[in-house]
Amino acid sequence: KYKKLDKLIKKNDVISFDLFDTLIYRSCSKSRDVYQILDFYIKNHLKLKIDLYSLRTESESFLHKLYPSFYSIDQIYQEIKKRTNLPANIINKIKKEEKRIEYCLATPNKQMISYFKLAKNLNKKVIITTDFYMDKKFLITILNKCKLYGYKNIFVSSELKKSKSNREIYLY
C-alpha cells in the first residue's frame, strides 16, 4: 500500500503528514465513539440528563456547514452551551473530559511512523497538517505522547482558518 512513499520521501525536500488516521489512530472503531464515551461520562459522573452524543454531533454538523474544516473545539462547546444553557464551568468540564479521552485513545500508527522517521533521518523538512478541531497546543501533547518529535511545524486548520480539502493550508 505504501511502497511508493519511500521514493516520494527521498525525492522531495518537504514532507507533509496528516495527523489523525495517518500518524496517529484513535484506539476505537469510529471517531464518534469518543462522543459515546463522553456521553457516558456526563450521565454517570456529572449526573446530567442530556443526550450529549446527539448534541455533540449536531453541533459539529451545524458548524461544519458554516465553516467547513475551520471550526474549533471552543466553537463546538459554545454551540453546545447555546443549545443547553449549561453553566460555563460544566461546559469546561465536558470539554476537558473530551480532550482527556482523545489523549488516552491516541495511538501511534507504527507503519506511518517508520516513514516519518525515514524523512527525519534523510533531513527532510517534516510538517504535520490537520483539519482536526483541537488546538495546536493540545495536538502537540498528543504528538509528544506518541513520541513524535523533530517536525518543523504543525498546521491546524481550525487555528489558521485554512483547509486541507481546498489546499489553502499548504500555502503556509
Side-chain angles (χ1 to χ4, degrees):
K1 184 177 178 181
Y2 302 116
K3 293 186 189 284
K4 293 181 182 179
L5 279 180
D6 277 358
K7 290 179 184 173
L8 285 171
I9 290 169
K10 289 174 183 171
K11 185 175 107 174
N12 292 285
D13 295 328
V14 178
I15 310 300
S16 176
F17 290 93
D18 186 28
L19 185 56
F20 280 95
D21 299 326
T22 302
L23 288 175
I24 294 172
Y25 287 130
R26 288 180 188 95
S27 54
C28 55
S29 59
K30 298 181 301 240
S31 61
R32 291 198 173 186
D33 289 350
V34 170
Y35 310 156
Q36 293 282 9
I37 297 166
L38 195 57
D39 190 63
F40 178 85
Y41 166 80
I42 67 120
K43 286 178 176 147
N44 291 283
H45 295 279
L46 299 181
K47 307 297 183 199
L48 296 175
K49 297 185 184 324
I50 59 173
D51 179 3
L52 189 71
Y53 178 85
S54 296
L55 264 170
R56 179 67 180 73
T57 55
E58 290 165 8
S59 296
E60 190 169 346
S61 294
F62 172 75
L63 289 168
H64 184 72
K65 290 174 187 165
L66 296 177
Y67 320 102
S69 302
F70 299 162
Y71 54 89
S72 69
I73 188 80
D74 292 332
Q75 289 172 299
I76 292 167
Y77 279 94
Q78 286 168 5
E79 185 61 30
I80 290 171
K81 185 173 180 358
K82 279 186 214 171
R83 292 171 184 230
T84 62
N85 288 318
L86 287 170
N89 68 320
I90 298 296
I91 290 292
N92 288 334
K93 281 183 184 181
I94 299 168
K95 182 170 47 170
K96 185 177 178 180
E97 182 63 13
E98 180 172 343
K99 285 183 167 187
R100 190 192 69 76
I101 293 165
E102 287 286 3
Y103 181 85
C104 290
L105 294 177
T107 307
N109 176 351
K110 290 180 178 149
Q111 187 169 16
M112 289 307 293
I113 300 301
S114 66
Y115 292 106
F116 179 86
K117 289 179 179 176
L118 172 66
K120 281 185 8 185
N121 291 340
L122 293 172
N123 294 315
K124 303 297 181 169
K125 180 179 178 182
V126 176
I127 60 171
I128 299 170
T129 54
T130 183
D131 278 340
F132 200 52
Y133 47 80
M134 294 288 186
D135 58 275
K136 183 177 181 175
K137 182 179 176 184
F138 176 73
L139 295 175
I140 289 170
T141 64
I142 288 179
L143 288 163
N144 290 342
K145 173 196 174 195
C146 294
K147 296 182 176 30
L148 285 164
Y149 311 109
Y151 50 90
K152 181 75 173 167
N153 206 345
I154 177 169
F155 298 97
V156 183
S157 62
S158 64
E159 291 186 0
L160 297 171
K161 306 297 183 216
K162 305 288 182 197
S163 173
K164 287 186 333 183
S165 61
N166 66 12
R167 306 190 60 77
E168 286 181 338
I169 200 167
Y170 298 110
L171 299 175
Y172 283 85

